[in-house]
Amino acid sequence: MNLSQLLQHFKTELKDVYEEEEVKSIFSIVTEHLIQFNRSKLMLNWDKEPEPAQEASFLAIATGLKTHQPIQYLLGEAFFYGSTFKVNESVLIPRPETEELVDWILEKKVEGQTVIDFGTGSGCIAISLKKHLKDASVTAVDISEDAIRTASENASLNHADVCFIHADILTFQSKEKFDIIVSNPPYITGAEMAEMQQNVLAHEPHLALFVSDERPLLFYEAIADFALSNLQPEGTLFFEINEYLSKETISMLKDKSFKIIELRKDMQGKDRMISAKL
């Protein structure tokens, strides 16, 4: 099949899953990934016939998309803060709102050079910070061994020197003091699951997504407790948060003696990030 026929195949296979314009956009992404044709080159080469192995990959990706597999997992990569990251079903797909968190940290120009990222997943936060804070010592922690392996591959891919530690956020201890403590921990409650898209529920790691309805701030509390003893006097704690629990998160931080607390909305106007200082 040529590219025009392959696009028609995508439209036919995915008509019950995506709108036609979204199918075209996805097909463009797949084409650039598989045969390095950007959108402009694709427009001029609809009669191009991919190699047999490439055609097989196109067809396999269409089949995967039809079963709600995320395109990033099917391609094995995602883009975050200007860099490419390997992704698989052991790590969350990096989100644009997390890019905003990284941007906020860098914008604040926190003094100091020690950083720790809890629940690192693909390593996107830790690696992006290291690439922009070149002299910083960056540590990243995750409970999943598979996630640590993926994050380590991403550090090598992006030439970022990050120390990865396999450990549980809830019990991790260290004698080191940090200037930046950051986390995008699990924060989606069971009650919110019904609102989520099927491709997320079926394929992204629940370990990195969900918390119990009874203690939705479990991980935030543990990391805040860690910060009480491990944050430098002028250091800053950064969280990505559940938009529905901003007031509760701020209240928890105040109860734990954090004095300077700032809430920031994401580009969609949702309460998404908090910074706190002692």
Side-chain angles (χ1 to χ4, degrees):
M1 285 190 278
N2 61 28
L3 290 173
S4 179
Q5 292 167 325
L6 283 166
L7 173 59
Q8 187 55 50
H9 176 77
F10 269 60
K11 289 179 181 179
T12 301
E13 289 295 293
L14 303 177
K15 66 181 186 300
D16 296 328
V17 183
Y18 297 103
E19 297 293 333
E20 184 170 321
E21 286 304 310
E22 195 168 4
V23 173
K24 290 178 182 178
S25 178
I26 290 171
F27 184 79
S28 178
I29 292 168
V30 174
T31 303
E32 185 159 10
H33 179 82
L34 292 178
I35 61 175
Q36 290 73 59
F37 277 15
N38 61 23
R39 191 181 295 269
S40 298
K41 195 169 183 179
L42 174 60
M43 294 299 110
L44 298 172
N45 290 276
W46 285 113
D47 59 348
K48 162 76 175 179
E49 292 188 4
E51 298 293 327
Q54 293 170 332
E55 180 180 323
S57 295
F58 272 102
L59 298 177
I61 288 170
T63 299
L65 290 168
K66 190 174 182 179
T67 60
H68 299 279
Q69 293 181 52
I71 184 63
Q72 293 91 340
Y73 288 158
L74 291 166
L75 299 182
E77 66 182 27
F79 296 97
F80 182 88
Y81 215 76
S83 299
T84 300
F85 288 81
K86 293 183 178 181
V87 292
N88 51 56
E89 292 195 2
S90 70
V91 299
L92 291 181
I93 297 165
R95 272 30 179 214
E97 52 266 33
T98 307
E99 289 185 306
E100 293 182 60
L101 175 62
V102 170
D103 208 38
W104 192 29
I105 295 171
L106 296 174
E107 171 192 311
K108 277 182 168 284
K109 296 181 169 58
V110 176
E111 295 296 328
Q113 297 295 321
T114 52
V115 180
I116 188 165
D117 170 30
F118 284 106
T120 197
S122 66
C124 61
I125 294 175
I127 292 166
S128 297
L129 289 175
K130 176 60 181 177
K131 290 182 74 171
H132 289 82
L133 303 171
K134 296 191 182 298
D135 295 329
S137 170
V138 180
T139 301
V141 179
D142 203 287
I143 194 172
S144 165
E145 289 187 67
D146 289 336
I148 289 292
R149 276 192 289 271
T150 301
S152 297
E153 290 178 16
N154 282 324
S156 297
L157 176 67
N158 285 284
H159 309 291
D161 183 14
V162 175
C163 173
F164 292 101
I165 298 174
H166 174 229
D168 188 341
I169 295 173
L170 300 178
T171 58
F172 180 76
Q173 294 181 332
S174 172
K175 294 180 179 179
E176 188 174 355
K177 300 284 187 179
F178 297 93
D179 301 294
I180 298 171
I181 297 175
V182 58
S183 184
N184 175 21
Y187 60 64
I188 300 171
T189 63
E192 296 171 76
M193 289 180 70
E195 302 174 17
M196 299 185 68
Q197 294 180 330
Q198 181 60 31
N199 60 348
V200 175
L201 284 174
H203 299 285
E204 297 201 53
H206 285 203
L207 185 68
L209 287 169
F210 298 110
V211 288
S212 71
D213 291 347
E214 291 75 25
R215 289 194 66 186
L217 298 182
L218 173 67
F219 295 103
Y220 293 90
E221 293 168 2
I223 296 164
D225 286 338
F226 178 87
L228 291 176
S229 57
N230 293 83
L231 193 64
Q232 292 281 18
E234 296 301 315
T236 309
L237 171 63
F238 292 92
F239 283 133
E240 183 174 322
I241 66 167
N242 185 322
E243 63 180 291
Y244 303 115
L245 297 173
S246 58
K247 291 180 180 178
E248 291 84 347
T249 307
I250 289 171
S251 178
M252 178 272 293
L253 289 168
K254 286 180 177 177
D255 289 344
K256 291 185 182 293
S257 302
F258 286 87
K259 300 290 192 298
I260 305 171
I261 301 171
E262 184 178 351
L263 173 67
R264 177 175 279 201
K265 296 182 184 295
D266 63 18
M267 286 190 291
Q268 296 183 357
K270 298 177 180 179
D271 291 346
R272 185 62 66 194
M273 294 159 275
I274 283 177
S275 70
K277 299 170 75 76
L278 291 167

